[in-house]
């Protein structure tokens, strides 16, 4: 019809009726006709499947048209120290930041917002934290990325909770979630397992001015994470330097021969020095071991010559000792033979047996008696 305007509001919509560019009323689902020959009326359709009403006229509705707000909206206002847990159809959907003022459509989606006093409560309830860990996408994940700090402390770790740079508490193994609105929250993880630190390539002069390069390995663990953080900027660097100092002190006060003769003593001296330095800061040094003592090339040659000469001298002593023992044994045998002709005759027979075993033919003159008497004449007693 001429001069009439027809507007259709669907079931999932509401209509904002503007008359002369001023909000007049809110239309529910249905078909509407208005006589408007001068074009003074306009209707904007709003989809209420998204309950949050975000519009330029939001503040105007709250202040100037409170009767429309009560009829069509639910007003949520949070204080500066409050966060809001937004539930839709009894399921956690999002997190509202402090100071939020938001209109929600009264419609098919049941909406509820639970305010939380973040000034008095730092940690989220365990059930809410579990929901945040389970969700992989969606608005809840985006909201928690802004307003919540989540942390997982493994069974071999301890967590240091810092709020605005101040250490609040030590966290035991477990999962945690903390409110991060209007504060800076950090969780620093400290490994309490046994750890290894390598100190490699240390060039050190011995007491007798020999240059050595040493490689050292140390095992340690953090015993008091709170004390370590409070007193040491980097506990690994601190331990590394103390091991260096202890190694230099131990090597510089000993000669090369002393070091090579007892390397275990060197380990003990370095360990005692470093443990005294780090234990007062909450670090336990479990063990220290010098893995390699590397000599310069010319020093290796000299030591090899010394070792070679020493071993040669030892070999000569052993050879002379064996020769002396053999001579003494031979002298004893000769004395026995001289004192006992029968023993001598037995030795002769053994010699004859050895000779006959190595030749093909043996010609004997005078019989066996001649052979024996020809070899040795027996003296009568």
């Amino acid at each position: 019809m001429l001069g009439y305007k027809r507007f259709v509001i669907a079931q999932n919509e509401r209509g904002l009726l503007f008359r002369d560019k001023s909000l007049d009323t809110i239309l529910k689902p249905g078909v509407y006709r208005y006589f408007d020959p001068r074009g003074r009326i306009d209707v904007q359709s709003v989809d209420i499947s998204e309950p949050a009403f975000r519009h330029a006229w939001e503040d105007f509705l709250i202040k100037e048209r409170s009767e429309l707000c009560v009829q069509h909206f639910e007003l949520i206002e949070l204080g500066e120290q409050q966060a809001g847990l937004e539930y839709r159809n009894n399921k956690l959907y999002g997190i509202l930041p402090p100071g939020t003022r938001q209109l929600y459509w009264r419609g098919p989606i049941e909406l509820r917002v639970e305010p939380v006093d973040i000034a008095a409560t730092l940690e989220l309830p365990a059930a809410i934290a579990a929901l945040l860990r389970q969700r992989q996408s969606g608005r809840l994940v985006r909201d928690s990325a802004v307003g919540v700090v989540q942390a997982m402390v493994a069974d071999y770790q301890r967590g240091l909770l810092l709020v605005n740079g101040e250490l609040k508490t030590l966290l035991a193994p477990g999962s945690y979630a903390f409110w991060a609105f209007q504060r800076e929250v950090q969780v620093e993880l400290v490994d309490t397992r046994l750890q290894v630190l390598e100190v490699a390539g240390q060039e050190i002069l011995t007491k007798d001015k020999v240059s050595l390069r040493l490689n050292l390995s140390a095992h340690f663990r953090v015993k008091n994470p709170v004390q370590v953080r409070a007193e040491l900027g980097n506990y690994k660097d601190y331990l590394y330097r103390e091991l260096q100092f202890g190694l230099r002190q131990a090597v510089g006060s000993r000669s090369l021969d002393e070091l090579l003769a007892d390397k275990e003593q060197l380990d003990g001296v370095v360990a005692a020095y470093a443990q005294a330095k780090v234990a007062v800061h909450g670090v336990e040094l479990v063990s220290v071991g010098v893995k390699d003592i590397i000599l310069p090339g010319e020093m290796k040659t000299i030591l090899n010559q010394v070792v070679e000469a020493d071993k040669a001298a030892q070999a000569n002593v052993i050879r002379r000792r064996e020769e002396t023992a053999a001579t003494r044994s031979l002298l004893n045998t000769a004395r026995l033979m001289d004192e006992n002709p029968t023993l001598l005759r037995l030795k002769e027979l053994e010699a004859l047996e050895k000779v006959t075993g190595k030749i093909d033919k043996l010609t004997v003159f005078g019989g066996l008696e001649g052979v024996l008497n020809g070899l040795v004449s027996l003296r009568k007693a």
Side-chain angles (χ1 to χ4, degrees):
M1 298 175 63
L2 187 62
Y4 278 86
K5 288 183 178 180
R6 182 175 180 268
F7 302 98
V8 179
I9 308 300
Q11 289 294 324
N12 65 324
E13 294 179 335
R14 295 293 185 269
L16 302 180
L17 176 62
F18 291 89
R19 192 184 302 273
D20 294 330
K21 296 185 178 182
S22 296
L23 182 61
D24 184 69
T25 189
I26 297 176
L27 304 178
K28 293 183 177 181
V31 179
Y32 299 87
R33 290 183 178 85
Y34 295 97
F35 182 70
D36 185 24
R38 298 183 180 181
R40 301 169 55 197
I41 297 176
D42 185 29
V43 174
Q44 295 180 6
S45 298
V46 180
D47 189 352
I48 64 171
S49 58
E50 168 50 53
F53 178 70
R54 294 181 174 88
H55 197 277
W57 289 79
E58 182 179 357
D59 292 335
F60 172 81
L61 275 170
I62 295 173
K63 186 175 181 180
E64 302 294 339
R65 301 301 301 274
S66 58
E67 74 284 357
L68 287 178
C69 287
V70 173
Q71 182 180 358
H72 296 280
F73 298 99
E74 181 178 352
L75 175 61
I76 301 298
E77 289 189 281
L78 299 176
E80 292 298 327
Q81 297 297 323
Q82 288 182 318
L85 299 177
E86 180 183 331
Y87 291 86
R88 296 186 181 184
N89 295 329
N90 292 321
K91 293 183 179 180
L92 183 62
Y93 182 80
I95 300 173
L96 302 179
T100 296
R101 183 168 72 165
Q102 180 64 56
L103 289 176
Y104 291 90
W105 289 105
R106 298 183 186 274
I109 297 178
E110 182 182 349
L111 186 123
R112 172 169 54 91
V113 175
E114 292 184 1
V116 179
D117 185 357
I118 61 174
T121 305
L122 179 61
E123 186 174 357
L124 275 72
I128 304 300
L131 286 176
L132 296 180
R133 289 192 300 274
Q134 293 172 5
R135 300 289 176 86
Q136 300 298 321
S137 61
R139 184 187 146 189
L140 183 60
V141 174
R142 295 191 297 271
D143 290 349
S144 62
V146 175
V148 177
V149 171
Q150 300 183 64
M152 179 70 70
V153 182
D155 58 355
Y156 57 85
Q157 294 175 325
R158 294 297 181 269
L160 302 174
L161 177 61
L162 307 174
V163 180
N164 295 330
E166 179 185 356
L167 179 63
K168 289 296 184 181
T169 187
L170 180 67
L171 303 178
S175 57
Y176 300 88
F178 303 97
W179 292 112
F181 291 119
Q182 302 176 350
R183 58 172 70 101
E184 183 178 350
V185 179
Q186 294 176 293
V187 176
E188 295 181 0
L189 300 178
V190 179
D191 195 331
T192 59
R193 294 176 295 184
L194 192 66
Q195 302 180 59
V196 179
L197 185 63
E198 301 289 342
V199 181
Q202 298 301 300
E203 295 281 351
I204 306 175
L205 283 177
T206 64
K207 184 179 180 180
D208 48 359
K209 307 305 179 184
V210 178
S211 177
L212 303 177
R213 189 166 74 250
L214 297 97
N215 297 325
L216 180 145
S217 179
H219 293 80
F220 71 97
R221 64 166 57 92
V222 176
K223 296 294 290 184
N224 191 330
V226 175
Q227 184 181 12
V228 167
R229 185 189 181 279
E231 299 177 2
L232 300 177
N234 188 317
Y235 63 90
K236 289 186 179 180
D237 287 349
Y238 179 77
L239 176 58
Y240 188 94
R241 288 194 300 271
E242 293 303 331
L243 288 170
Q244 283 184 313
F245 295 152
L247 188 60
R248 291 183 182 278
Q249 186 181 79
V251 173
S253 61
R254 288 167 173 77
S255 66
L256 177 61
D257 290 340
E258 292 173 339
L259 294 174
L260 296 179
D262 192 356
K263 194 174 71 171
E264 292 184 359
Q265 183 185 21
L266 177 62
D267 297 342
V269 172
V270 177
Y273 176 89
Q275 175 63 22
K277 296 293 185 179
V278 301
V280 295
H281 299 296
V283 178
E284 178 188 10
L285 187 60
V286 178
S287 65
V288 173
V290 176
K291 299 195 300 182
D292 303 302
I293 299 179
I294 303 172
L295 299 171
E298 62 276 9
M299 185 56 66
K300 286 184 180 179
T301 302
I302 295 172
L303 285 180
N304 288 335
Q305 292 174 352
V306 170
V307 172
E308 184 179 354
D310 183 64
K311 295 301 181 183
Q314 292 180 14
N316 286 332
V317 170
I318 294 173
R319 187 162 52 250
R320 296 294 183 268
R321 187 182 299 121
E322 294 297 328
E323 290 176 354
T324 301
T327 303
R328 185 179 295 110
S329 176
L330 185 61
L331 177 61
N332 291 335
T333 302
R335 287 174 180 173
L336 288 174
M337 290 180 179
D338 186 54
E339 296 172 358
N340 193 334
T342 303
L343 179 60
L344 177 59
R345 179 53 56 89
L346 290 176
K347 283 292 184 180
E348 292 172 353
L349 291 174
E350 288 180 2
L352 182 61
E353 182 181 9
K354 291 180 180 179
V355 171
T356 57
K358 295 181 180 180
I359 62 178
D360 181 51
K361 182 185 293 186
L362 179 65
T363 303
V364 178
F365 297 94
L368 181 61
E369 184 67 21
V371 173
L372 295 177
N373 289 335
L375 290 174
V376 175
S377 298
L378 298 177
R379 292 185 305 173
K380 294 182 179 180

